[in-house]
């Protein structure tokens, strides 16, 4: 069977690394704006009808946006089982916090307008805002912890992941910076979409919030880059590797050294496109919002989000999950993947299903095009 596979093991691993990155970017861009809109809900919407308008911008599409998170999780489980086992063991309390936040969001969307009580609606507004804020923060903190290394290793006999950290160990200064960047980045993205999809005083407040969060994202992303270049310890492989070898994370040598996350940019200068998009996109968001070009502001915001996520992926390549406890046990794309046959079968399934998801998503957004206003929410029998 394997003789019929047109790609070697190394190529399939790189393809799945690229697919995983694509899914993460798609999730950050597509689901990021509804997380961001929930975060800025109390800032931009002051009256009940304005908050209903915000919820009705995200309400019809947020479930479809979650497909990218589920697909990404499934891809990690099937293509990188050691990464799935190690990450979920280490981040288990944080993952539970994230799941609670994500579970409360649909409940808020569905039940918030079921009763006219002002106290009831304000309580659900707080839940929606808190869930968007917590989910955005946890995603960023997880990324920051991956960059500084996660305290895990493997039992040499059973290859069982062994995690030696605690929940509060995740919240050290650099991961907190990444978490704050994630919150501001997604709040910028959500505000840009609200400026595009709404009108009146609500759109004006979204424009102001989008400008402030874009400026904050710009500063925090630049600060993170400066930190990574001046003192943040990264990881580098020091032994020869065979990209076609069977997965074994204990068969290589890795050292931790300052500024190691910049090595890839020296080897492949084209990778600089990612941080340039991250910084330049945020600048364009501010300019487009000041010039009141709503579509350009949202497109620039999407580019900035994609650039920031890609910067993370490009910086740590070929690592997937570095280990601060035992750097030699770090997981890379060369030593943590499923078999060649599994990667090939999954690639065939993805080639069929991914275009269907993209076409369905495009159709949904075409149907839901146009502004959401107080009048449209009031007249719509299925409005949230």
């Amino acid at each position: 069977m394997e003789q019929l596979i047109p790609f070697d093991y190394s190529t399939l691993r790189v393809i799945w690394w690229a697919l995983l990155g694509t899914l993460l970017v798609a999730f950050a861009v597509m689901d990021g704006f509804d997380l961001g809109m929930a975060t800025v809900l109390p800032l931009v919407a002051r009256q009940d009808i304005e908050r209903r308008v915000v919820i009705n911008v995200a309400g019809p599409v947020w479930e479809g946006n979650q497909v990218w998170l589920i697909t990404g999780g499934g891809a990690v489980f099937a293509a990188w089982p050691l990464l799935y086992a190690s990450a979920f063991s280490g981040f288990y309390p944080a993952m539970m916090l994230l799941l609670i936040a994500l579970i409360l969001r649909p409940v808020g969307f569905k039940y918030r307008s079921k009763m006219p009580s002002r106290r009831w609606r304000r309580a659900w507004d707080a839940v929606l805002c808190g869930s968007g804020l917590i989910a955005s923060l946890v995603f960023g903190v997880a990324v920051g912890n991956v960059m500084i290394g996660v305290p895990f290793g493997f039992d040499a006999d059973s290859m069982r992941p062994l995690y030696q950290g605690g929940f509060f160990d995740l919240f050290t200064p650099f991961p907190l910076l990444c978490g704050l960047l994630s919150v501001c980045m997604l709040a910028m993205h959500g505000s840009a979409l609200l400026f595009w999809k709404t009108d009146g005083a609500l759109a004006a407040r979204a424009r102001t919030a989008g400008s402030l969060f874009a400026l904050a994202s710009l500063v925090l992303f630049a600060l993170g880059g400066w930190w990574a270049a001046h003192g943040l310890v990264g990881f580098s492989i020091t032994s020869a590797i065979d990209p076609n070898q069977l997965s074994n994370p204990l068969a290589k040598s890795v050292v931790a050294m300052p500024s190691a996350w910049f090595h890839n940019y020296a080897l492949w200068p084209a990778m600089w496109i990612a941080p340039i998009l991250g910084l330049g996109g945020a600048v364009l968001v501010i300019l487009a919002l000041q010039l009141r070009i709503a579509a350009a502001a949202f497109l620039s915001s999407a580019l900035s989000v994609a650039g920031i996520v890609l910067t993370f992926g490009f910086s740590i390549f070929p690592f997937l999950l570095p280990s601060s406890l035992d750097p030699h046990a770090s997981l890379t794309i060369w030593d943590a993947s499923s078999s060649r046959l599994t990667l090939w079968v999954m690639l065939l399934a993805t080639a069929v299903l991914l275009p269907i998801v993209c076409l369905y998503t495009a159709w949904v957004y075409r149907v839901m095009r146009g502004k959401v206003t107080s009048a449209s929410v009031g007249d719509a029998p299925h409005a949230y």
Side-chain angles (χ1 to χ4, degrees):
M1 178 67 181
E2 291 201 9
Q3 291 78 8
L4 301 176
I5 301 175
F7 301 113
D8 62 18
Y9 203 6
S10 171
T11 304
L12 283 172
R13 283 166 160 165
V14 174
I15 289 174
W16 270 102
W17 172 77
L19 280 174
L20 180 60
T22 302
L23 293 173
L24 291 178
V25 169
F27 167 68
V29 171
M30 301 298 293
D31 201 38
F33 66 72
D34 60 57
L35 290 174
M37 281 192 286
T39 301
V40 301
L41 179 65
L43 297 177
V44 302
R46 296 176 182 174
Q47 302 173 7
D48 182 71
I49 187 62
E50 291 180 338
R51 296 183 180 187
R52 287 192 66 202
V53 168
V54 173
I55 292 169
N56 278 276
V57 171
V61 295
W62 77 269
E63 288 170 300
N65 295 339
Q66 294 284 302
V67 167
W68 299 104
L69 176 63
I70 296 169
T71 307
V76 171
F77 175 76
W80 315 101
L82 279 176
L83 171 63
Y84 185 89
S86 304
F88 275 70
S89 297
F91 296 146
Y92 188 75
M95 291 291 185
M96 290 305 298
L97 183 63
L98 175 64
L99 284 177
I100 292 172
L102 294 179
I103 289 171
L104 285 175
R105 292 176 67 228
V107 179
F109 283 132
K110 299 293 184 183
Y111 284 90
R112 190 260 180 199
S113 297
K114 295 296 184 185
M115 293 179 65
S117 166
R118 185 175 179 181
R119 180 178 297 179
W120 170 272
R121 295 191 173 197
R122 284 192 174 277
W124 282 113
D125 290 341
V127 169
L128 285 170
C129 176
S131 62
L133 181 65
I134 289 172
S136 303
L137 182 68
V138 170
F139 283 128
V141 167
V143 167
N145 275 282
V146 170
M147 292 195 70
I148 64 173
V150 178
F152 77 96
F154 289 98
D155 180 272
D157 296 325
S158 64
M159 289 300 293
R160 181 169 60 90
L162 302 172
Y163 179 73
Q164 296 190 8
F167 175 70
F168 292 104
D169 297 332
L170 299 174
F171 299 93
T172 52
F174 186 78
L176 283 174
L177 171 69
C178 294
L180 192 55
L181 169 61
S182 176
V183 170
C184 293
M185 174 184 77
L186 299 184
M188 168 191 72
H189 200 37
S191 300
L193 184 65
L194 284 176
F195 179 59
W196 191 13
K197 293 282 289 183
T198 63
D199 61 4
L202 173 57
R205 287 193 288 271
R207 174 171 167 259
T208 302
S211 299
L212 294 175
F213 282 116
L215 180 61
S217 300
L218 185 67
V219 172
L220 290 170
F221 187 47
L223 179 59
W226 179 86
W227 197 333
H230 298 83
L232 186 71
V233 174
F235 297 81
S236 179
I237 299 174
T238 56
S239 60
I241 56 172
D242 178 6
N244 286 300
Q245 68 182 358
L246 295 177
S247 292
N248 180 5
L250 301 180
K252 64 179 181 305
S253 297
V254 174
V255 296
M257 63 174 66
S259 307
W261 293 142
F262 273 76
H263 288 175
N264 286 340
Y265 297 98
L267 291 173
W268 301 289
M271 284 186 173
W272 280 105
I273 189 65
I276 290 172
L277 277 179
L279 292 170
V283 172
L284 290 177
V285 170
I286 297 172
L287 292 175
L289 288 175
Q290 295 309 307
L291 295 173
R292 302 176 188 273
I293 310 174
F298 180 71
L299 178 59
S300 301
S301 177
L303 290 176
S304 180
V305 171
I308 291 172
V309 175
L310 288 174
T311 298
F312 162 67
F314 288 167
S315 298
I316 69 169
F317 179 85
F319 290 92
L320 295 170
L321 191 67
S323 170
S324 59
L325 182 66
D326 179 10
H328 304 309
S330 299
L331 300 180
T332 73
I333 71 168
W334 311 122
D335 58 25
S337 72
S338 296
S339 69
R340 183 184 175 202
L341 179 60
T342 300
L343 295 181
W344 171 241
V345 172
M346 288 174 55
L347 186 60
L348 291 178
T350 303
V352 174
L353 297 177
L354 189 59
I356 295 174
V357 173
C358 292
L359 288 173
Y360 172 75
T361 302
W363 177 77
V364 168
Y365 277 87
R366 176 173 170 75
V367 171
M368 302 306 300
R369 67 187 183 277
K371 288 187 178 293
V372 179
T373 64
S374 302
S376 66
V377 169
D379 296 338
H382 302 296
Y384 291 90

